Amino acid sequence: MAETLLKPLKAGLIGADIQASLTPAMHMQEGAAQGLDYAYELIDLTSLNATPADLSRLIEDAEVRGLAGLNITHPCKQRVIPLLDNLSPEARALGAVNTVVLKGGRRFGHNTDWWGFAESFRRGLPQADLSSAVQLGAGGAGVATAYAILTLGLDRLTVFDREHERAVDLAEAMSALFPGAVITAGSDLAASMQGASGLIHATPTGMAKYPGVPLPPDLLESRHWVAEIVYFPLETELLRQARARGCRTLDGGGMAVFQAVGAFRLITGMEPDASRMLMHFKTMTT
């Protein structure tokens, strides 16, 4: 009997300091399960001694070498946009791209970060009270989580950021997209938490390089749900403090997996098995 040949496919991730990324393993493992000879490479700006100014050259090189698509991460999610031929409505609305499909000599930009958070939230915090939430962080991740939670039907969102103008800009941008919701930049975190049903954390605080908690833990009450985006480690100090106070919690692993689910679908044209990808992620993080 002739040996079954796997269909070859190549993709990659462009960003800085990405050697610890679990994205290649998630893509290649699911690809193998789907009958692909899937080669997924890291195009690490740091390792290559490159900068975002080299992005155009790196994408051109990927095209020449026959890559079917690229994931894009910090610090290139906004800078890649002028280099693309087409943007999905969500990528255009968010002003950020994390997945580029390379097809027929054209470059198609998408954003699966927001869907990754939305799907994780829908599965991990069912029946969550969406009357009001506080979000900490108005950077690239915060734009995605805000868009996601408002898409899920949140009524009121109060955004905080160390750079208050960034929170103002995010509130204004989301207000234009979701006119039925009340979205503001906050000034009094304690008061906002008293009136909120949940908290979204969208800053790096809690990662190994940025230890700590992003707000005074005493502001957390048992009625709050707490959704985290950090997944290195999965058990952040924020989640530990929240659970100790009886809060329902959501770790950042789901967002990491489901953005990869969405990217796999776009790059390969195949339907991934989300449950299988979740299980694989758990084996790598526990």
Side-chain angles (χ1 to χ4, degrees):
M1 183 179 292
E3 183 179 346
T4 301
L5 295 178
L6 298 180
K7 179 183 176 183
L9 186 139
K10 294 189 289 185
L13 171 65
I14 296 180
D17 298 312
I18 54 175
Q19 293 303 311
S21 174
L22 300 181
T23 296
M26 284 193 284
H27 276 256
M28 290 190 290
Q29 179 95 350
E30 181 59 21
Q34 299 258 7
L36 292 175
D37 177 13
Y38 195 167
Y40 189 107
E41 64 186 76
L42 293 176
I43 305 170
D44 190 340
L45 299 182
T46 306
S47 298
L48 295 171
N49 197 27
T51 73
D54 297 300
L55 192 54
S56 178
R57 174 179 61 81
L58 294 172
I59 295 175
E60 287 174 9
D61 178 64
E63 289 174 317
V64 169
R65 292 188 294 111
L67 271 66
L70 293 163
N71 282 128
I72 309 292
T73 190
H74 178 79
C76 300
K77 290 183 181 182
Q78 289 81 33
R79 301 182 197 216
V80 73
I81 290 176
L83 306 175
L84 306 178
D85 298 299
N86 182 273
L87 289 178
S88 70
E90 294 84 4
R92 190 177 303 279
L94 294 172
V97 163
N98 79 319
T99 304
V100 176
V101 176
L102 303 172
K103 188 173 183 180
R106 292 175 63 79
R107 304 165 178 176
F108 302 87
H110 302 267
N111 188 300
T112 66
D113 284 331
W114 80 269
W115 181 81
F117 183 80
E119 187 67 8
S120 177
F121 191 97
R122 186 182 67 78
R123 293 182 180 218
L125 288 174
Q127 287 84 51
D129 182 351
L130 294 180
S131 58
S132 177
V134 165
Q135 175 168 300
L136 305 179
V143 174
T145 56
Y147 186 91
I149 200 68
L150 289 161
T151 298
L152 291 174
L154 183 73
D155 293 323
R156 179 184 294 271
L157 179 65
T158 308
V159 183
F160 290 83
D161 194 275
R162 287 181 182 177
E163 300 176 32
H164 184 70
E165 281 306 309
R166 243 184 2 172
V168 171
D169 290 345
L170 176 56
E172 290 178 351
M174 291 298 124
S175 294
L177 295 171
F178 299 94
V182 178
I183 308 156
T184 58
S187 57
D188 186 334
L189 181 57
S192 294
M193 285 298 294
Q194 285 181 353
S197 52
L199 173 72
I200 299 168
H201 175 229
T203 85
T205 302
M207 295 175 65
K209 291 183 179 179
Y210 307 98
V213 288
L215 81 170
D218 288 346
L219 297 183
L220 297 170
E221 301 178 27
S222 60
R223 60 189 176 79
H224 289 132
W225 50 260
V226 177
E228 173 74 273
I229 68 159
V230 172
Y231 67 94
F232 274 134
L234 275 179
E235 170 82 353
T236 63
E237 183 62 17
L238 171 63
L239 294 183
R240 194 183 72 78
Q241 294 281 353
R243 281 196 282 270
R245 288 162 172 76
C247 302
R248 295 175 65 199
T249 62
L250 180 71
D251 66 46
M255 182 179 182
V257 173
F258 287 112
Q259 67 80 21
V261 167
F264 183 97
R265 182 185 294 120
L266 289 165
I267 292 171
T268 68
M270 304 173 77
E271 187 58 34
D273 185 326
S275 296
R276 184 165 56 207
M277 291 182 75
L278 276 168
M279 288 301 297
H280 182 220
F281 179 84
K282 288 179 181 177
T283 66
M284 294 189 291
T285 54
T286 55

